[in-house]
Amino acid sequence: MKRRLGQVQFRQNVLLIAAIALFYCVLGILGLKLAVLPGDVTAVWIPAGVGLGAVLIWGNQIWPGIALGSFGISVLLNPTPVSLAIAAVTAVGNTLTPIWGAGLIRRLTHTRYPFHRANEVFIFVCCGAIASQIISATVGILALCVAQWINWSNFGQSWVTWWVSNLTGVLIFTPVLLTWHYFLSQSWQQRKGTPISSHFGKIVDQELKSLRLESFSWFLLFDGVVSLAFWYGYPVEYLMIPLLGWAAFRFSERWTTLAIALTGLMAIAGTILNRSSFVQENLNASLLFLESFIGVISVTTLVLIAVLQERRHALEGLKQAKAELEYRVIERTHELSQANEQLTKQEFHLKEKAESLATA
């Protein structure tokens, strides 16, 4: 029996690693389409967010999927000896980065889902997005410079671009993966023997019911601001902050993180196409404005989500404490009532005994 369970677990792990490798590789190939600097250094690296999210969800055991996915990008795009050597070194950096970042997050927050408290969000940003991505950027740029794909004079500029692109990928995509996985896992635990098809139908039905008129109004405003800021170049991009705040207050956290990701993708696409309000004469200045905007809206909205979660948990705790207090008061009142009845009965018996003694 144990042997069969071990074989099933092994097969599940192999399938999970293969799925992560394929997903990482496909997203990496798509990300290289946004390369703006020599050496295929991209403006945003989506797999960085996927890797960190995967390690936070499934643990360090899925590291072969990240390594194979990172190495497979060069195998499919440019399978030359030099490119494969660079890919092998880069894969090491891309694998160590999410493992180290996720380890710091789990150690400091004691959770795999660091969005329930404001301090957890800051730890996620500092450890998972800022500090850990230094490993990938340093290893990758050193490999490119040693292979002479990048001049050593451009080391600093390329390093900053690589690091910021990884940071942006983490801020945009890791919250989406974690929030949706958290929601689906909670829903799966509540399934309790329900067939998968009907359970999935219930989830879809609940999500469709949540799309009210308010959601439609929000989406219209979102579409208007995105079009003006990222497709027509009007400097109204920071109007997204109140819209994302509205989403954080009124909608679930999974839809809010999805709105953050959509905003970031639209801003990146508009900038790459030279149509957004971030476009400057200098490419580095354009990327600086773009990624600072993404960082501001992501961190601000995630902190707001965490504060609202803390408030919600505090209110639930107060309600539970109030209910327990009321229950204890009712229970104590019942006990006092029973004690009073017993005293009354004892007093009645004593009176009967006294009367009988007086009669005797």
Side-chain angles (χ1 to χ4, degrees):
M1 186 67 180
K2 293 183 179 179
R3 184 177 181 181
R4 290 181 179 178
L5 291 175
Q7 291 176 352
V8 171
Q9 186 68 27
F10 177 76
R11 291 175 182 175
Q12 291 177 350
N13 290 336
V14 169
L15 291 176
L16 179 61
I17 289 172
I20 291 173
L22 178 62
F23 195 52
Y24 193 101
C25 184
V26 171
L27 290 177
I29 294 173
L30 292 176
L32 290 177
K33 302 298 181 180
L34 303 177
V36 294
L37 292 177
D40 290 336
V41 179
T42 66
V44 58
W45 185 243
I46 301 175
V50 175
L52 180 61
V55 175
L56 282 172
I57 293 171
W58 292 291
N60 296 339
Q61 61 184 0
I62 54 91
W63 70 265
I66 299 174
L68 291 174
S70 178
F71 183 75
I73 297 172
S74 295
V75 173
L76 295 176
L77 293 181
N78 188 17
T80 61
V82 176
S83 177
L84 294 179
I86 295 174
V89 176
T90 304
V92 174
N94 289 337
T95 305
L96 292 177
T97 296
I99 292 176
W100 189 60
L104 287 177
I105 292 171
R106 288 195 298 262
R107 183 173 182 179
L108 295 176
T109 64
H110 305 289
T111 181
R112 295 176 180 271
Y113 181 78
F115 301 116
H116 281 156
R117 294 186 177 89
N119 63 329
E120 293 177 355
V121 174
F122 288 114
I123 292 173
F124 165 76
V125 173
C126 293
C127 297
I130 296 176
S132 64
Q133 303 307 319
I134 294 175
I135 299 175
S136 176
T138 303
V139 173
I141 296 300
L142 281 176
L144 293 175
C145 288
V146 170
Q148 296 183 353
W149 282 23
I150 293 179
N151 294 327
W152 286 99
S153 59
N154 295 327
F155 179 88
Q157 175 185 344
S158 301
W159 186 92
V160 170
T161 304
W162 186 305
W163 175 71
V164 174
S165 67
N166 283 18
L167 185 150
T168 306
V170 169
L171 291 179
I172 291 177
F173 294 101
T174 303
V176 177
L177 292 176
L178 294 179
T179 52
W180 279 94
H181 179 268
Y182 181 80
F183 166 70
L184 293 175
S185 62
Q186 292 292 322
S187 300
W188 187 263
Q189 291 177 1
Q190 296 173 0
R191 186 171 67 94
K192 294 181 180 180
T194 306
I196 296 177
S197 59
S198 61
H199 180 67
F200 182 75
K202 289 181 180 179
I203 293 176
V204 174
D205 184 59
Q206 291 176 358
E207 294 301 314
L208 290 177
K209 287 181 178 179
S210 66
L211 299 177
R212 303 177 296 273
L213 179 62
E214 183 181 7
S215 305
F216 183 71
S217 303
W218 182 90
F219 184 77
L220 288 179
L221 292 174
F222 174 83
D223 182 64
V225 174
V226 165
S227 299
L228 290 174
F230 307 138
W231 300 110
Y232 295 100
Y234 290 96
V236 295
E237 62 276 0
Y238 283 96
L239 288 177
M240 289 304 307
I241 292 180
L243 283 177
L244 292 174
W246 179 5
F249 272 97
R250 298 294 297 165
F251 308 138
S252 63
E253 56 189 17
R254 57 187 181 277
W255 289 112
T256 305
T257 54
L258 186 60
I260 296 172
L262 289 175
T263 304
L265 289 175
M266 292 297 102
I268 293 167
T271 304
I272 296 299
L273 297 175
N274 293 323
R275 301 185 64 177
S276 75
S277 58
F278 302 115
V279 175
Q280 305 291 324
E281 295 181 358
N282 186 355
L283 178 60
N284 289 329
S286 301
L287 295 178
L288 179 63
F289 283 120
L290 167 66
E291 287 155 352
S292 62
F293 167 76
I294 293 175
V296 167
I297 64 169
S298 299
V299 175
T300 302
T301 310
L302 291 176
V303 170
L304 182 57
I305 291 173
V307 170
L308 292 175
Q309 286 281 351
E310 289 180 342
R311 178 177 177 272
R312 191 177 298 114
H313 291 322
L315 290 176
E316 290 177 356
L318 288 175
K319 290 180 180 179
Q320 185 176 0
K322 182 181 178 181
E324 290 178 356
L325 181 60
E326 291 178 350
Y327 175 76
R328 290 180 181 179
V329 169
I330 294 173
E331 187 179 17
R332 185 60 177 169
T333 303
H334 181 67
E335 292 176 355
L336 291 174
S337 177
Q338 289 180 342
N340 190 23
E341 290 179 358
Q342 292 178 357
L343 289 174
T344 303
K345 291 180 180 179
Q346 291 177 0
E347 183 181 2
F348 178 73
H349 290 309
L350 289 174
K351 285 182 179 180
E352 287 184 345
K353 289 181 179 180
E355 290 177 356
S356 64
L357 287 174
T359 303

